Amino acid sequence: MENNMEPKDLTDDESDSIEEVITMRPIPVPRLPSFRRLESDRDRAFTSDSGLSSAKNEPTTPSYDRSSSTSVFPPIISLNVGGHLYMTRLSTLLKYSDSMLASMFSGRHQIDKDKDGNFFLDSNGPVFGHILEFLRYGTVPTSNDMTYLIFRDANYYGLYDLIEKLQLKPEIAAIAVKEAQRAQFPNYNGIKEDVIKAAMSKAVVNRVGDVYIYAFRKEFKPRVPNFNPKHGCIIENAQVTVGPWEGPADEDTFFRCLEYDLVEEGFTLRPHEGKKKCKYYFGQTCQKSIFKVTFLFD
């Protein structure tokens, strides 16, 4: 293949890899006004500013000089996307001016080529076909097993019009609601990891790991002056503590979420016995309680 697509001379700043130059944007989730996030979870599948992205892009004239792009790239672009070959017009890739694709093919960045001279994108090849269909026709794929992968790559390429449409698909809506619910609990994913580690350490004898969790939405404040805070409370048996939080979900909701996620990830759990309340009483009952989750490592 004759190489007539070499980019123009680039400065040191412009010659960096495109994946170092483009700033990744977080995947948005639907706004739930009654929830307020207290602390970011670690290793989330979804990150959010607790609202829909307001950076919806439109297929308008790019802010950069289009002649810069057309002087560097041919009108027909051959792409190798993760080993899958595509042909498309340069104008298709430039359709959304604030997208990563438009920036990549703006003439301001250097793009790698494969041995045959195709521009190379290190992305999911079959998924990119759906991205191209959206760029060409504005079509949104029907719900299927690839919906989340398309949603993920739409976010990667900064195609916010497609993102907002995909958010209304049942697969993405369910994930977004799940993430918004768990975002109420401080450091939810970190707590889940601590629970798993505690279970593993307890299971070394007979492969059964009991973990006691103290979860509290609000701090307990005694009303009577002679209430002894050092009364040997049941929470002293807890290996993991979570709370307080300001969302409407209570402690039972937290524990159901935790159990559901652990089972979904493949862990075997015994049915829980319900929370155990502290029995201390002096003028009033201690309101603290703990949950127990039992792992079976068969």
Side-chain angles (χ1 to χ4, degrees):
M1 175 182 292
E2 182 178 354
N3 189 346
N4 61 352
M5 298 183 288
E6 290 297 326
K8 64 182 180 181
D9 293 337
L10 301 169
T11 66
D12 290 340
D13 291 338
E14 292 172 330
S15 63
D16 290 337
S17 169
I18 186 64
E19 295 192 10
E20 296 176 359
V21 174
I22 300 300
T23 300
M24 288 296 296
R25 300 183 176 106
I27 298 178
V29 298
R31 178 182 297 277
L32 298 178
S34 59
F35 293 1
R36 186 169 75 84
R37 198 167 182 178
L38 303 181
E39 180 179 345
S40 297
D41 290 344
R42 295 184 293 187
D43 305 323
R44 288 175 58 90
F46 289 93
T47 56
S48 169
D49 60 359
S50 298
L52 283 171
S53 169
S54 59
K56 179 180 178 181
N57 44 18
E58 298 292 347
T60 55
T61 303
S63 57
Y64 53 80
D65 184 1
R66 184 181 287 271
S67 63
S68 173
S69 179
T70 56
S71 66
V72 173
F73 298 102
I76 305 300
I77 302 293
S78 59
L79 297 171
N80 177 347
V81 184
H84 288 70
L85 298 180
Y86 293 98
M87 298 287 290
T88 189
R89 291 186 178 276
L90 175 62
S91 59
T92 299
L93 299 174
L94 300 178
K95 187 173 183 179
Y96 289 93
S97 61
D98 61 347
S99 71
M100 180 177 176
L101 286 170
S103 182
M104 292 174 72
F105 289 91
S106 66
R108 295 181 285 116
H109 306 294
Q110 179 176 318
I111 304 176
D112 293 332
K113 293 182 179 181
D114 65 14
K115 61 182 179 62
D116 297 318
N118 303 303
F119 292 102
F120 179 75
L121 302 181
D122 190 12
S123 189
N124 188 306
V127 170
F128 193 78
H130 294 280
I131 300 293
L132 271 182
E133 288 298 287
F134 171 75
L135 292 174
R136 289 165 174 160
Y137 310 114
T139 55
V140 179
T142 57
S143 296
N144 55 48
D145 293 339
M146 294 183 68
T147 302
Y148 174 72
L149 298 179
I150 300 167
F151 180 68
R152 180 198 63 189
D153 282 14
N155 179 79
Y156 178 77
Y157 290 116
L159 297 169
Y160 288 94
D161 191 50
L162 177 56
I163 288 171
E164 291 191 7
K165 290 179 170 62
L166 288 173
Q167 283 183 135
L168 302 180
K169 296 292 183 181
E171 302 92 329
I172 306 304
I175 293 173
V177 170
K178 173 182 174 181
E179 291 296 317
Q181 184 185 54
R182 282 143 181 79
Q184 297 176 84
F185 310 118
N187 192 26
Y188 177 80
N189 283 336
I191 292 295
K192 184 172 64 175
E193 291 176 3
D194 291 342
V195 169
I196 295 170
K197 292 175 182 178
M200 292 171 62
S201 66
K202 287 293 190 70
V204 294
V205 176
N206 58 1
R207 295 188 294 183
V208 176
D210 290 331
V211 182
Y212 291 95
I213 304 168
Y214 173 41
F216 60 101
R217 181 186 171 197
K218 294 182 179 180
E219 293 275 7
F220 169 64
K221 297 180 179 179
R223 297 189 305 270
V224 296
N226 294 329
F227 191 93
N228 182 10
K230 299 180 180 180
H231 56 263
C233 187
I234 193 172
I235 67 168
E236 295 178 7
N237 297 318
Q239 290 93 32
V240 178
T241 299
V242 55
W245 59 85
E246 296 185 11
D250 59 14
E251 295 84 359
D252 291 289
T253 300
F254 163 79
F255 195 69
R256 287 196 300 269
C257 288
L258 180 64
E259 281 191 315
Y260 177 86
D261 289 345
L262 291 170
V263 171
E264 191 176 52
E265 292 177 11
F267 289 100
T268 301
L269 307 179
R270 282 181 182 167
H272 75 266
E273 305 168 359
K275 60 186 177 182
K276 296 182 178 181
K277 296 182 179 180
C278 182
K279 297 181 179 180
Y280 177 78
Y281 177 85
F282 192 90
Q284 71 174 118
T285 303
C286 177
Q287 299 297 313
K288 298 178 182 180
S289 58
I290 59 174
F291 296 88
K292 182 176 78 170
V293 56
T294 301
F295 288 73
L296 303 177
F297 295 95
D298 296 326

PDB file of all heavy atoms in Angstrom, residues 104-127:
ATOM      1  N   MET A 104      -8.170  12.557  17.651  1.00  0.00           N
ATOM      2  CA  MET A 104      -7.144  11.676  17.088  1.00  0.00           C
ATOM      3  C   MET A 104      -6.872  11.996  15.630  1.00  0.00           C
ATOM      4  O   MET A 104      -5.719  11.990  15.181  1.00  0.00           O
ATOM      5  CB  MET A 104      -7.573  10.220  17.229  1.00  0.00           C
ATOM      6  CG  MET A 104      -7.611   9.696  18.643  1.00  0.00           C
ATOM      7  SD  MET A 104      -8.295   8.021  18.749  1.00  0.00           S
ATOM      8  CE  MET A 104      -6.941   7.088  18.038  1.00  0.00           C
ATOM      9  N   PHE A 105      -7.941  12.270  14.874  1.00  0.00           N
ATOM     10  CA  PHE A 105      -7.818  12.483  13.433  1.00  0.00           C
ATOM     11  C   PHE A 105      -7.912  13.974  13.075  1.00  0.00           C
ATOM     12  O   PHE A 105      -8.310  14.329  11.973  1.00  0.00           O
ATOM     13  CB  PHE A 105      -8.871  11.661  12.695  1.00  0.00           C
ATOM     14  CG  PHE A 105      -8.588  10.189  12.727  1.00  0.00           C
ATOM     15  CD1 PHE A 105      -9.108   9.396  13.739  1.00  0.00           C
ATOM     16  CD2 PHE A 105      -7.772   9.598  11.777  1.00  0.00           C
ATOM     17  CE1 PHE A 105      -8.825   8.033  13.796  1.00  0.00           C
ATOM     18  CE2 PHE A 105      -7.477   8.239  11.824  1.00  0.00           C
ATOM     19  CZ  PHE A 105      -8.016   7.449  12.831  1.00  0.00           C
ATOM     20  N   SER A 106      -7.541  14.826  14.007  1.00  0.00           N
ATOM     21  CA  SER A 106      -7.565  16.260  13.767  1.00  0.00           C
ATOM     22  C   SER A 106      -6.307  16.755  13.072  1.00  0.00           C
ATOM     23  O   SER A 106      -6.252  17.898  12.637  1.00  0.00           O
ATOM     24  CB  SER A 106      -7.725  16.999  15.103  1.00  0.00           C
ATOM     25  OG  SER A 106      -6.566  16.793  15.915  1.00  0.00           O
ATOM     26  N   GLY A 107      -5.290  15.915  12.988  1.00  0.00           N
ATOM     27  CA  GLY A 107      -4.013  16.346  12.448  1.00  0.00           C
ATOM     28  C   GLY A 107      -3.065  16.850  13.504  1.00  0.00           C
ATOM     29  O   GLY A 107      -1.933  17.223  13.200  1.00  0.00           O
ATOM     30  N   ARG A 108      -3.491  16.864  14.752  1.00  0.00           N
ATOM     31  CA  ARG A 108      -2.658  17.371  15.840  1.00  0.00           C
ATOM     32  C   ARG A 108      -1.896  16.272  16.567  1.00  0.00           C
ATOM     33  O   ARG A 108      -1.072  16.558  17.424  1.00  0.00           O
ATOM     34  CB  ARG A 108      -3.527  18.134  16.840  1.00  0.00           C
ATOM     35  CG  ARG A 108      -4.162  19.389  16.252  1.00  0.00           C
ATOM     36  CD  ARG A 108      -5.004  20.155  17.279  1.00  0.00           C
ATOM     37  NE  ARG A 108      -6.276  19.484  17.535  1.00  0.00           N
ATOM     38  CZ  ARG A 108      -6.619  18.969  18.696  1.00  0.00           C
ATOM     39  NH1 ARG A 108      -5.781  18.996  19.704  1.00  0.00           N
ATOM     40  NH2 ARG A 108      -7.799  18.399  18.854  1.00  0.00           N
ATOM     41  N   HIS A 109      -2.182  15.008  16.247  1.00  0.00           N
ATOM     42  CA  HIS A 109      -1.556  13.901  16.967  1.00  0.00           C
ATOM     43  C   HIS A 109      -1.071  12.843  15.984  1.00  0.00           C
ATOM     44  O   HIS A 109      -1.588  12.705  14.883  1.00  0.00           O
ATOM     45  CB  HIS A 109      -2.549  13.261  17.942  1.00  0.00           C
ATOM     46  CG  HIS A 109      -3.181  14.231  18.875  1.00  0.00           C
ATOM     47  ND1 HIS A 109      -2.478  14.904  19.844  1.00  0.00           N
ATOM     48  CD2 HIS A 109      -4.460  14.672  18.976  1.00  0.00           C
ATOM     49  CE1 HIS A 109      -3.286  15.696  20.511  1.00  0.00           C
ATOM     50  NE2 HIS A 109      -4.500  15.581  19.997  1.00  0.00           N
ATOM     51  N   GLN A 110      -0.096  12.109  16.432  1.00  0.00           N
ATOM     52  CA  GLN A 110       0.441  11.008  15.642  1.00  0.00           C
ATOM     53  C   GLN A 110      -0.304   9.722  15.992  1.00  0.00           C
ATOM     54  O   GLN A 110      -0.497   9.414  17.166  1.00  0.00           O
ATOM     55  CB  GLN A 110       1.941  10.839  15.919  1.00  0.00           C
ATOM     56  CG  GLN A 110       2.589   9.696  15.150  1.00  0.00           C
ATOM     57  CD  GLN A 110       4.076   9.647  15.390  1.00  0.00           C
ATOM     58  OE1 GLN A 110       4.743  10.680  15.414  1.00  0.00           O
ATOM     59  NE2 GLN A 110       4.611   8.455  15.600  1.00  0.00           N
ATOM     60  N   ILE A 111      -0.709   8.979  14.988  1.00  0.00           N
ATOM     61  CA  ILE A 111      -1.441   7.729  15.195  1.00  0.00           C
ATOM     62  C   ILE A 111      -0.596   6.580  14.651  1.00  0.00           C
ATOM     63  O   ILE A 111      -0.067   6.661  13.530  1.00  0.00           O
ATOM     64  CB  ILE A 111      -2.808   7.754  14.487  1.00  0.00           C
ATOM     65  CG1 ILE A 111      -3.611   8.965  14.965  1.00  0.00           C
ATOM     66  CG2 ILE A 111      -3.584   6.458  14.761  1.00  0.00           C
ATOM     67  CD1 ILE A 111      -4.931   9.124  14.255  1.00  0.00           C
ATOM     68  N   ASP A 112      -0.467   5.524  15.419  1.00  0.00           N
ATOM     69  CA  ASP A 112       0.303   4.365  14.985  1.00  0.00           C
ATOM     70  C   ASP A 112      -0.349   3.696  13.786  1.00  0.00           C
ATOM     71  O   ASP A 112      -1.570   3.757  13.596  1.00  0.00           O
ATOM     72  CB  ASP A 112       0.427   3.349  16.128  1.00  0.00           C
ATOM     73  CG  ASP A 112       1.268   3.870  17.280  1.00  0.00           C
ATOM     74  OD1 ASP A 112       2.157   4.714  17.022  1.00  0.00           O
ATOM     75  OD2 ASP A 112       1.034   3.440  18.428  1.00  0.00           O
ATOM     76  N   LYS A 113       0.488   3.027  12.972  1.00  0.00           N
ATOM     77  CA  LYS A 113       0.005   2.248  11.844  1.00  0.00           C
ATOM     78  C   LYS A 113       0.484   0.804  11.981  1.00  0.00           C
ATOM     79  O   LYS A 113       1.522   0.537  12.608  1.00  0.00           O
ATOM     80  CB  LYS A 113       0.518   2.817  10.526  1.00  0.00           C
ATOM     81  CG  LYS A 113      -0.029   4.187  10.169  1.00  0.00           C
ATOM     82  CD  LYS A 113       0.510   4.642   8.827  1.00  0.00           C
ATOM     83  CE  LYS A 113      -0.042   6.009   8.453  1.00  0.00           C
ATOM     84  NZ  LYS A 113       0.470   6.450   7.129  1.00  0.00           N
ATOM     85  N   ASP A 114      -0.278  -0.123  11.405  1.00  0.00           N
ATOM     86  CA  ASP A 114       0.184  -1.506  11.376  1.00  0.00           C
ATOM     87  C   ASP A 114       1.114  -1.697  10.182  1.00  0.00           C
ATOM     88  O   ASP A 114       1.414  -0.759   9.434  1.00  0.00           O
ATOM     89  CB  ASP A 114      -1.000  -2.478  11.368  1.00  0.00           C
ATOM     90  CG  ASP A 114      -1.838  -2.378  10.100  1.00  0.00           C
ATOM     91  OD1 ASP A 114      -1.386  -1.756   9.110  1.00  0.00           O
ATOM     92  OD2 ASP A 114      -2.958  -2.936  10.083  1.00  0.00           O
ATOM     93  N   LYS A 115       1.581  -2.924   9.976  1.00  0.00           N
ATOM     94  CA  LYS A 115       2.569  -3.186   8.929  1.00  0.00           C
ATOM     95  C   LYS A 115       2.025  -2.947   7.529  1.00  0.00           C
ATOM     96  O   LYS A 115       2.798  -2.768   6.569  1.00  0.00           O
ATOM     97  CB  LYS A 115       3.071  -4.632   9.056  1.00  0.00           C
ATOM     98  CG  LYS A 115       2.003  -5.693   8.890  1.00  0.00           C
ATOM     99  CD  LYS A 115       2.576  -7.081   9.074  1.00  0.00           C
ATOM    100  CE  LYS A 115       1.501  -8.164   8.923  1.00  0.00           C
ATOM    101  NZ  LYS A 115       0.895  -8.168   7.589  1.00  0.00           N
ATOM    102  N   ASP A 116       0.683  -2.949   7.391  1.00  0.00           N
ATOM    103  CA  ASP A 116       0.072  -2.720   6.089  1.00  0.00           C
ATOM    104  C   ASP A 116      -0.325  -1.266   5.860  1.00  0.00           C
ATOM    105  O   ASP A 116      -0.945  -0.936   4.845  1.00  0.00           O
ATOM    106  CB  ASP A 116      -1.172  -3.617   5.929  1.00  0.00           C
ATOM    107  CG  ASP A 116      -0.821  -5.090   5.960  1.00  0.00           C
ATOM    108  OD1 ASP A 116       0.199  -5.469   5.338  1.00  0.00           O
ATOM    109  OD2 ASP A 116      -1.556  -5.865   6.617  1.00  0.00           O
ATOM    110  N   GLY A 117      -0.013  -0.403   6.804  1.00  0.00           N
ATOM    111  CA  GLY A 117      -0.313   1.007   6.648  1.00  0.00           C
ATOM    112  C   GLY A 117      -1.678   1.427   7.147  1.00  0.00           C
ATOM    113  O   GLY A 117      -2.073   2.587   6.971  1.00  0.00           O
ATOM    114  N   ASN A 118      -2.437   0.520   7.789  1.00  0.00           N
ATOM    115  CA  ASN A 118      -3.726   0.881   8.372  1.00  0.00           C
ATOM    116  C   ASN A 118      -3.502   1.601   9.704  1.00  0.00           C
ATOM    117  O   ASN A 118      -2.644   1.204  10.500  1.00  0.00           O
ATOM    118  CB  ASN A 118      -4.575  -0.366   8.625  1.00  0.00           C
ATOM    119  CG  ASN A 118      -4.797  -1.173   7.365  1.00  0.00           C
ATOM    120  OD1 ASN A 118      -5.310  -0.677   6.375  1.00  0.00           O
ATOM    121  ND2 ASN A 118      -4.388  -2.442   7.399  1.00  0.00           N
ATOM    122  N   PHE A 119      -4.279   2.635   9.945  1.00  0.00           N
ATOM    123  CA  PHE A 119      -4.207   3.287  11.249  1.00  0.00           C
ATOM    124  C   PHE A 119      -4.707   2.319  12.315  1.00  0.00           C
ATOM    125  O   PHE A 119      -5.748   1.667  12.143  1.00  0.00           O
ATOM    126  CB  PHE A 119      -5.026   4.569  11.253  1.00  0.00           C
ATOM    127  CG  PHE A 119      -4.442   5.645  10.386  1.00  0.00           C
ATOM    128  CD1 PHE A 119      -4.961   5.906   9.136  1.00  0.00           C
ATOM    129  CD2 PHE A 119      -3.350   6.382  10.823  1.00  0.00           C
ATOM    130  CE1 PHE A 119      -4.415   6.894   8.326  1.00  0.00           C
ATOM    131  CE2 PHE A 119      -2.795   7.367  10.024  1.00  0.00           C
ATOM    132  CZ  PHE A 119      -3.322   7.621   8.770  1.00  0.00           C
ATOM    133  N   PHE A 120      -3.950   2.229  13.406  1.00  0.00           N
ATOM    134  CA  PHE A 120      -4.241   1.210  14.419  1.00  0.00           C
ATOM    135  C   PHE A 120      -4.877   1.824  15.660  1.00  0.00           C
ATOM    136  O   PHE A 120      -4.365   2.794  16.217  1.00  0.00           O
ATOM    137  CB  PHE A 120      -2.958   0.477  14.827  1.00  0.00           C
ATOM    138  CG  PHE A 120      -3.190  -0.574  15.877  1.00  0.00           C
ATOM    139  CD1 PHE A 120      -3.790  -1.784  15.554  1.00  0.00           C
ATOM    140  CD2 PHE A 120      -2.823  -0.346  17.197  1.00  0.00           C
ATOM    141  CE1 PHE A 120      -4.021  -2.746  16.520  1.00  0.00           C
ATOM    142  CE2 PHE A 120      -3.048  -1.300  18.169  1.00  0.00           C
ATOM    143  CZ  PHE A 120      -3.650  -2.500  17.833  1.00  0.00           C
ATOM    144  N   LEU A 121      -6.013   1.234  16.080  1.00  0.00           N
ATOM    145  CA  LEU A 121      -6.667   1.593  17.337  1.00  0.00           C
ATOM    146  C   LEU A 121      -6.666   0.355  18.234  1.00  0.00           C
ATOM    147  O   LEU A 121      -7.174  -0.698  17.840  1.00  0.00           O
ATOM    148  CB  LEU A 121      -8.101   2.066  17.102  1.00  0.00           C
ATOM    149  CG  LEU A 121      -8.294   3.259  16.168  1.00  0.00           C
ATOM    150  CD1 LEU A 121      -9.777   3.610  16.067  1.00  0.00           C
ATOM    151  CD2 LEU A 121      -7.490   4.457  16.643  1.00  0.00           C
ATOM    152  N   ASP A 122      -6.104   0.492  19.409  1.00  0.00           N
ATOM    153  CA  ASP A 122      -6.036  -0.643  20.338  1.00  0.00           C
ATOM    154  C   ASP A 122      -7.342  -0.711  21.110  1.00  0.00           C
ATOM    155  O   ASP A 122      -7.433  -0.318  22.265  1.00  0.00           O
ATOM    156  CB  ASP A 122      -4.856  -0.471  21.292  1.00  0.00           C
ATOM    157  CG  ASP A 122      -4.579  -1.718  22.107  1.00  0.00           C
ATOM    158  OD1 ASP A 122      -5.139  -2.780  21.772  1.00  0.00           O
ATOM    159  OD2 ASP A 122      -3.811  -1.636  23.085  1.00  0.00           O
ATOM    160  N   SER A 123      -8.362  -1.219  20.455  1.00  0.00           N
ATOM    161  CA  SER A 123      -9.704  -1.256  21.031  1.00  0.00           C
ATOM    162  C   SER A 123     -10.384  -2.549  20.593  1.00  0.00           C
ATOM    163  O   SER A 123      -9.835  -3.327  19.810  1.00  0.00           O
ATOM    164  CB  SER A 123     -10.492  -0.029  20.556  1.00  0.00           C
ATOM    165  OG  SER A 123     -11.717   0.090  21.236  1.00  0.00           O
ATOM    166  N   ASN A 124     -11.599  -2.777  21.109  1.00  0.00           N
ATOM    167  CA  ASN A 124     -12.363  -3.985  20.798  1.00  0.00           C
ATOM    168  C   ASN A 124     -12.906  -3.881  19.373  1.00  0.00           C
ATOM    169  O   ASN A 124     -13.744  -3.027  19.084  1.00  0.00           O
ATOM    170  CB  ASN A 124     -13.501  -4.137  21.811  1.00  0.00           C
ATOM    171  CG  ASN A 124     -14.219  -5.462  21.678  1.00  0.00           C
ATOM    172  OD1 ASN A 124     -14.687  -5.821  20.610  1.00  0.00           O
ATOM    173  ND2 ASN A 124     -14.315  -6.197  22.775  1.00  0.00           N
ATOM    174  N   GLY A 125     -12.429  -4.764  18.492  1.00  0.00           N
ATOM    175  CA  GLY A 125     -12.805  -4.691  17.087  1.00  0.00           C
ATOM    176  C   GLY A 125     -14.284  -4.833  16.804  1.00  0.00           C
ATOM    177  O   GLY A 125     -14.887  -3.975  16.138  1.00  0.00           O
ATOM    178  N   PRO A 126     -14.947  -5.915  17.250  1.00  0.00           N
ATOM    179  CA  PRO A 126     -16.379  -6.073  16.980  1.00  0.00           C
ATOM    180  C   PRO A 126     -17.219  -4.932  17.558  1.00  0.00           C
ATOM    181  O   PRO A 126     -18.198  -4.511  16.939  1.00  0.00           O
ATOM    182  CB  PRO A 126     -16.713  -7.408  17.658  1.00  0.00           C
ATOM    183  CG  PRO A 126     -15.426  -8.164  17.665  1.00  0.00           C
ATOM    184  CD  PRO A 126     -14.371  -7.128  17.880  1.00  0.00           C
ATOM    185  N   VAL A 127     -16.839  -4.421  18.727  1.00  0.00           N
ATOM    186  CA  VAL A 127     -17.593  -3.317  19.339  1.00  0.00           C
ATOM    187  C   VAL A 127     -17.471  -2.057  18.490  1.00  0.00           C
ATOM    188  O   VAL A 127     -18.430  -1.285  18.347  1.00  0.00           O
ATOM    189  CB  VAL A 127     -17.109  -3.066  20.773  1.00  0.00           C
ATOM    190  CG1 VAL A 127     -17.705  -1.780  21.328  1.00  0.00           C
ATOM    191  CG2 VAL A 127     -17.484  -4.241  21.672  1.00  0.00           C
TER     192      VAL A 127
END
